[in-house]
Amino acid sequence: MGNAPGSLESLRRTNRLRVLQTVQSRGAASRADIVRLTGLSRTTVSSLVAELVSESLLVERPDQQPPPASPNGGRPATLLTLDPGAGGFLGMHFGHDGLRVAVADLSCTVLDEEQRTMDVEEHVGDAFGHACEMAARLLGRLDLAVSRVVGLGVAVSAPVRHDSGAIASPSPLKGWDDVNVAEELDRRLGLPVYVGNDANLGAVAEWMFGAGRGVDDFVYVMLSDGIGSGIMLNGRLHLGATGTAGELGHVVVSPYGFVCRCGNRGCLETVAGGRALTAALSQVTGPNTTLDDVLRLARAGDPGARRAVQDAGRAVGRALSGLCTMLNPRLIIVGGRTGAAGEPLLDGIRASLAREVSPPVNGSVGIVPGSLGERAEVLGAIALAHRMTPAAALTGRAGGSAAGTGTAGGRVI
Ligand SMILES: [Zn+2]
């Protein structure tokens, strides 16, 4: 009985999946990474990788560089990825003020993407409709049948509940209370759907593809119209008891400040969110000032815009100081639209951390810009689909029968 538990054949099959899952979870991994992460012997890994490469489930990617931290001298290791040509993933990001949809191959390389500005709040049905239209248009342009898409990852600017994958209530995204995103999109597209909070997924994307590569303890801060964060500890997202950890935008930094959309008063978002930044400058620049105006003026050296951005950075640093003291992260990665403001913003964060965090901890934290910009969240959605698609489904994908098998598991990270 080849399938009997404990038989050699069963063990080999389990180990094949472990190797595939390891490559999947990292996006790309060398043979040495797989040995380290699975605990399998070098000989076993070498043999299984050769088998998976011969079956075109894995491919060697000499074009991709391993993270700089890994090798200490010697020839750089060749990275392995899932075979990019065997299918694709869809990613969607529903932010406060727009949608982004992307299609990637199985190695998570984005093939095409679209972005649309719209008021996502209180227009849930329209947002889903537009996102599905954008996905259909992208797949059409790429001549990629929906049957070859193996999973859809979705990033939403709201806390997502652990248990059901539904949006938590009350949601900071107006009109989205209790919406089950996975069920809704599965109904429309017939794909396995995986849903996560956008800042958490931004953290995953920076870890897999960006400024967090090779770093397993960091906090990703998404500064846009809203503010959120993703906390990566020991290479795993910290989600908290109910899945809503990292709501940095709702840390109180000004107890007698403005009332926040969450119902509390003086949350970081009311001081450093997009609306607060535009309000701070609009006395000088006029009532129609947009966040893009503030960022453009700050980059051009306008003293008022730079001051507003730097003060926002100081508030962000204050909100982060307790987290840094408690968790001792290696990096704070600053992304989102406002993250593009660069040095005035980062200087503000550094100034607050220098004041409020003890020197040994502060000295070990680097404050860096994200390297994926506003795309981090949709890339994280693709990474989520990549990680959550069962390796067994990839090994059995030859017939390309993903369509119509939507599981709407609503798995959340
Ligand atoms: Zn709040």
Side-chain angles (χ1 to χ4, degrees):
M1 290 286 287
N3 290 335
S7 73
L8 281 178
E9 180 54 31
S10 166
L11 183 63
R12 188 168 181 82
R13 201 171 303 137
T14 304
N15 287 342
R16 271 168 60 97
L17 287 179
R18 285 175 69 194
V19 170
L20 270 179
Q21 280 160 349
T22 303
V23 174
Q24 238 186 312
S25 68
R26 297 247 151 183
S30 67
R31 287 170 177 79
D33 293 332
I34 298 169
V35 168
R36 181 169 53 82
L37 294 164
T38 60
L40 296 170
S41 73
R42 291 168 66 101
T43 316
T44 303
V45 167
S46 179
S47 156
L48 291 173
V49 165
E51 188 177 293
L52 292 164
V53 167
S54 76
E55 293 170 21
S56 298
L57 288 166
L58 292 181
V59 287
E60 294 196 321
R61 298 295 296 269
D63 55 314
Q64 292 202 5
Q65 293 297 313
S70 52
N72 40 11
R75 205 155 51 93
T78 303
L79 293 178
L80 296 146
T81 68
L82 300 181
D83 179 5
F89 295 109
L90 266 169
M92 294 178 176
H93 178 205
F94 295 87
H96 285 274
D97 51 4
L99 302 173
R100 197 178 280 267
V101 179
V103 178
D105 65 26
L106 289 190
S107 72
C108 290
T109 301
V110 172
L111 304 173
D112 203 353
E113 61 189 287
E114 279 193 14
Q115 190 244 340
R116 177 190 178 105
T117 302
M118 71 168 285
D119 183 1
V120 168
E121 292 187 309
E122 298 186 27
H123 298 279
V124 186
D126 289 351
F128 286 134
H130 287 309
C132 292
E133 283 168 21
M134 289 158 77
R137 204 158 42 238
L138 289 168
L139 293 173
R141 281 211 295 267
L142 293 164
D143 201 20
L144 184 68
V146 75
S147 60
R148 291 181 59 210
V149 176
V150 296
L152 161 62
V154 185
V156 189
S157 273
V160 181
R161 283 209 305 261
H162 245 181
D163 47 358
S164 61
I167 303 300
S169 173
S171 163
L173 205 58
K174 277 188 217 147
W176 285 64
D177 287 13
D178 299 318
V179 170
N180 193 313
V181 176
E183 277 180 13
E184 184 64 36
L185 287 169
D186 172 42
R187 191 175 61 72
R188 292 171 184 249
L189 293 172
L191 289 171
V193 184
Y194 308 98
V195 187
N197 169 264
D198 59 354
N200 281 343
L201 293 177
V204 171
E206 290 287 356
W207 182 66
M208 287 178 69
F209 317 119
R213 283 187 75 183
V215 181
D216 284 347
D217 291 276
F218 68 84
V219 179
Y220 169 75
V221 180
M222 186 192 74
L223 296 176
S224 291
D225 187 42
I227 296 177
S229 74
I231 302 165
M232 188 70 79
L233 298 177
N234 200 23
R236 296 176 68 89
L237 269 177
H238 177 72
L239 299 172
T242 60
T244 62
E247 286 293 320
L248 186 73
H250 303 285
V251 171
V252 174
V253 293
S254 176
Y256 303 104
F258 292 111
V259 170
C260 178
R261 56 182 149 194
C262 74
N264 276 348
R265 189 162 180 179
C267 295
L268 177 63
E269 216 168 88
T270 66
V271 175
R275 291 171 205 191
L277 268 174
T278 52
L281 207 63
S282 62
Q283 292 287 333
V284 181
T285 51
N288 296 324
T289 304
T290 64
L291 181 55
D292 285 338
D293 293 334
V294 177
L295 298 175
R296 182 174 44 75
L297 287 167
R299 278 195 296 272
D302 177 83
R306 286 177 68 87
R307 173 63 190 265
V309 166
Q310 192 174 51
D311 287 350
R314 285 176 184 264
V316 172
R318 271 202 306 285
L320 282 169
S321 61
L323 194 69
C324 287
T325 301
M326 296 296 287
L327 299 180
N328 183 211
R330 174 73 57 204
L331 284 181
I332 303 291
I333 300 175
V334 184
R337 274 171 79 192
T338 310
E343 279 312 311
L345 179 74
L346 302 182
D347 284 348
I349 297 175
R350 288 187 190 110
S352 282
L353 291 184
R355 272 172 61 94
E356 299 186 15
V357 176
S358 66
V361 175
N362 183 50
S364 65
V365 184
I367 317 292
V368 300
S371 54
L372 304 175
E374 288 181 67
R375 298 170 69 236
E377 285 68 34
V378 78
L379 294 177
I382 286 168
L384 173 64
H386 180 267
R387 296 179 80 186
M388 297 306 299
T389 298
L394 295 173
T395 62
R397 70 176 196 281
S401 58
T405 62
T407 56
R411 270 303 299 265
V412 177
I413 63 172

Coordinates of all heavy atoms in Angstrom, one line a residue, residues 250 260 262 267, ligand 1:
H250 N -5.2 54.1 14.8 CA -6.2 54.4 15.9 C -5.5 54.3 17.3 O -6.2 54.1 18.3 CB -7.4 53.4 15.8 CG -8.0 53.6 14.4 ND1 -8.8 54.8 14.1 CD2 -7.9 52.9 13.3 CE1 -9.2 54.7 12.9 NE2 -8.6 53.6 12.3
C260 N -12.3 60.8 15.7 CA -11.8 60.0 14.6 C -13.0 59.2 14.0 O -14.1 59.1 14.7 CB -10.8 59.0 15.1 SG -10.2 57.8 13.9
C262 N -13.3 56.2 13.8 CA -13.6 55.0 14.6 C -14.4 55.3 15.9 O -14.9 54.4 16.6 CB -12.3 54.4 15.1 SG -11.4 55.3 16.4
C267 N -7.0 60.1 17.5 CA -6.2 58.9 17.0 C -5.2 59.5 16.0 O -5.3 60.6 15.5 CB -7.1 58.0 16.2 SG -8.4 57.2 17.1
Ligands
ZN1 ZN -9.6 56.2 15.4

